[in-house]
Amino acid sequence: PTPTNVAAAASVPDVKQLSLLTEEEQSSIFETLKKLYKRKVRPLEVASGYAHFHSQPLNAADFDAKPMILLLGQYSVGKTTFIRSLVQRDWVGQRIGPEPTTDRFTAIMSGTADERLIPGHALAMQSDRPFQALASFGNNFLTKFDGAEINGSPFLDQCTLIDTPGVLAGEKQRMGRDYDFKKVIQWFAERADCIIVLFDAHKLDISDELRNVLNTLRPHQDKVKVLLNKADQVNSQQLMRVYGALMWQLGKVLNTPEVCRVYVGSFWDQPLVNTENAALLAREKEDLMNELSDLPRNAALRRINELVKRTRSVKVHAYIIHYLRKQMPYTFGKKEKQQRLIGRLENEFVQCARRYNLPLGDFPNLDEFRTNLLQIKDISKFQKLDKSLVKEMDRVLANDIAKLLEKCSIQTAPMDDPY
């Protein structure tokens, strides 16, 4: 390839060739996970009111769905253009421009019929799609959500892509959207197999709104990849400075000693503006494409990992509710006692962890839990904890999950450390 097109030469790999588990083997694992969740995890979720504090119960489509890739970033950083480079074609409803063009969430999926755009209300009603729980966000969100079906894209045969509205700054973000943007992002992040946060080489400033979104991703840092896009529009010296500045900003926002991998690339279909970094951009693109092509191969491991995370979260939540319920009086003074418990919730978390030997690292975000708890009129109305359900979940972690992991380890190569 010529120097101007060398970055485009790293084509999208054929993900089917990289799948080590057969479809039958993956389907068998997914069926086992569905049964474990329905019989041994979901009953405790329902009894402890888990959905009010965290997320809606899972359904069969959440286990069977193709790997999901979530794209995030401020407006005009190239999210839609990046998706176009993966699927290798345009789709119904696509809009690209320097202004905030994508004002809705769009699921780009493989389709069997003619290419079409499915409205959000209809998409949330389809039992074979993993979007039914989005109905809980109401009409205001569903009118800003749709699904684009595309035929003939090898990438979409194995993965689903989620295009999101650009994160705006100031009042536009808070007042211009009549649904809870942060909660929607949190819902997609929980179910995504990979989260790609894009930055423009010319717009590195992280607004307070984007900072809030990145904080939402903290429980899912193992899924997060960062892409410094439009890197062909700066020269080598500028790229070095831009890369260093982005790493510094990410270190401050994520507040971790180790920052996730940052890829450098340019994904538009035009010749590179600066060709001096062409070889570097080609290698970076190839690395990122290899990461994405690993997603179908590791889908079973991801589903197992997510079920383990949810099981641990449900167990801790059930014990928190059980502990708080036990502190409540039987008759008089319930309202005052509940207010005192909520006021010193941080200390109650510590006491609960000590009493039931729970790791504090599994406890939920304190402020969010307190906000949700304030909406509960009487904690004592929760069902009494059935500890046999907890024992069943412990058996899932100790025995059933171990057997599934052993089955995967026989067939699947070990996953690379993303850091």
Side-chain angles (χ1 to χ4, degrees):
T2 60
T4 55
N5 292 323
V6 68
S11 59
V12 179
D14 184 357
V15 289
K16 290 183 179 179
Q17 296 177 0
L18 295 172
S19 181
L20 299 182
L21 284 170
T22 65
E23 286 190 15
E24 292 77 13
E25 289 167 339
Q26 291 222 48
S27 296
S28 174
I29 292 174
F30 294 158
E31 285 298 321
T32 303
L33 289 174
K34 282 188 280 187
K35 291 177 182 177
L36 290 176
Y37 173 74
K38 185 177 180 179
R39 296 174 182 174
K40 300 185 179 182
V41 180
R42 182 166 176 158
L44 190 57
E45 282 190 22
V46 175
S48 61
Y50 184 83
H52 175 77
F53 293 85
H54 299 277
S55 61
Q56 295 294 318
L58 303 177
N59 54 40
D62 290 312
F63 294 94
D64 294 329
K66 298 172 184 176
M68 188 183 298
I69 302 172
L70 176 64
L71 282 300
L72 294 172
Q74 300 183 96
Y75 75 89
S76 193
V77 296
K79 296 187 295 295
T80 306
T81 302
F82 175 72
I83 292 175
R84 189 182 182 281
S85 74
L86 294 178
V87 302
Q88 301 288 301
R89 59 190 303 172
D90 296 329
W91 61 89
V92 181
Q94 171 187 318
R95 294 176 61 199
I96 298 175
E99 74 281 4
T101 51
T102 303
D103 65 342
R104 58 205 309 109
F105 286 79
T106 302
I108 298 98
M109 310 168 289
S110 177
T112 55
D114 294 333
E115 295 188 6
R116 57 178 179 166
L117 196 67
I118 306 174
H121 290 83
L123 199 57
M125 293 297 292
Q126 296 183 3
S127 59
D128 60 335
R129 304 281 191 186
F131 305 117
Q132 285 183 296
L134 287 172
S136 64
F137 293 106
N139 289 329
N140 290 337
F141 168 72
L142 292 177
T143 56
K144 294 292 186 180
F145 174 57
D146 50 38
E149 288 191 342
I150 300 178
N151 290 323
S153 172
F155 191 88
L156 291 180
D157 288 340
Q158 301 294 317
C159 296
T160 296
L161 296 161
I162 307 295
D163 195 10
T164 62
V167 180
L168 304 175
E171 291 299 309
K172 293 180 181 178
Q173 175 76 12
R174 292 187 290 271
M175 306 297 292
R177 289 178 174 143
D178 48 5
Y179 58 89
D180 194 329
F181 183 80
K182 183 179 176 182
K183 284 288 182 66
V184 173
I185 292 294
Q186 189 173 10
W187 187 92
F188 277 107
E190 287 176 355
R191 287 158 176 78
D193 293 76
C194 178
I195 304 169
I196 300 179
V197 184
L198 287 87
F199 289 90
D200 188 330
H202 290 96
K203 295 187 297 185
L204 290 185
D205 182 53
I206 299 179
S207 64
D208 290 341
E209 290 72 27
L210 182 57
R211 185 187 301 268
N212 290 334
V213 170
L214 293 177
N215 284 333
T216 302
L217 303 180
R218 280 192 179 185
H220 315 287
Q221 287 188 29
D222 58 318
K223 306 177 186 178
V224 176
K225 318 288 180 194
V226 176
L227 173 59
L228 179 59
N229 199 19
K230 306 182 183 180
D232 66 315
Q233 299 181 22
V234 295
N235 60 37
S236 297
Q237 185 180 29
Q238 292 170 332
L239 180 58
M240 178 181 66
R241 292 174 177 170
V242 167
Y243 184 88
L246 177 59
M247 294 291 285
W248 181 76
Q249 292 226 51
L250 288 173
K252 287 179 60 181
V253 173
L254 300 177
N255 196 27
T256 56
E258 296 178 349
V259 180
C260 56
R261 168 77 185 270
V262 176
Y263 296 89
V264 179
S266 178
F267 289 87
W268 65 341
D269 55 2
Q270 302 297 318
L272 301 180
V273 176
N274 286 298
T275 60
E276 56 186 298
N277 296 320
L280 170 65
L281 298 184
R283 290 194 298 269
E284 288 283 296
K285 182 174 184 178
E286 185 177 5
D287 286 351
L288 179 57
M289 293 302 108
N290 288 336
E291 286 273 359
L292 298 183
S293 63
D294 276 346
L295 293 177
R297 182 183 71 182
N298 296 322
L301 285 171
R302 279 286 183 192
R303 296 290 185 274
I304 294 171
N305 183 60
E306 291 304 313
L307 183 61
V308 170
K309 285 169 63 176
R310 190 177 183 96
T311 301
R312 292 170 65 96
S313 175
V314 171
K315 177 181 176 180
V316 167
H317 171 79
Y319 272 116
I320 292 173
I321 296 299
H322 173 65
Y323 176 81
L324 295 176
R325 182 179 177 276
K326 288 184 66 176
Q327 311 305 309
M328 295 289 289
Y330 287 106
T331 52
F332 303 108
K334 288 186 176 182
K335 183 177 180 180
E336 294 75 13
K337 179 63 175 180
Q338 182 164 321
Q339 289 176 344
R340 288 197 297 272
L341 288 172
I342 294 174
R344 58 172 190 255
L345 192 58
E346 183 175 8
N347 182 61
E348 302 299 336
F349 273 14
V350 174
Q351 296 300 323
C352 177
R354 288 176 180 171
R355 176 170 295 186
Y356 300 112
N357 195 27
L358 302 171
L360 275 172
D362 287 349
F363 276 64
N365 179 276
L366 181 67
D367 294 331
E368 291 182 4
F369 194 90
R370 178 183 283 119
T371 299
N372 291 322
L373 196 58
L374 285 168
Q375 300 169 12
I376 303 297
K377 187 175 181 180
D378 185 356
I379 299 175
S380 62
K381 296 294 184 182
F382 280 105
Q383 296 181 30
K384 184 179 179 181
L385 178 63
D386 183 352
K387 294 189 177 179
S388 66
L389 295 178
V390 178
K391 291 180 180 178
E392 284 294 324
M393 290 200 345
D394 286 338
R395 290 194 193 100
V396 169
L397 294 174
N399 302 322
D400 301 309
I401 295 298
K403 291 177 182 177
L404 288 177
L405 287 173
E406 185 178 353
K407 185 184 296 186
C408 287
S409 65
I410 295 173
Q411 299 290 340
T412 308
M415 297 174 64
D416 293 333
D417 186 346
Y419 303 108

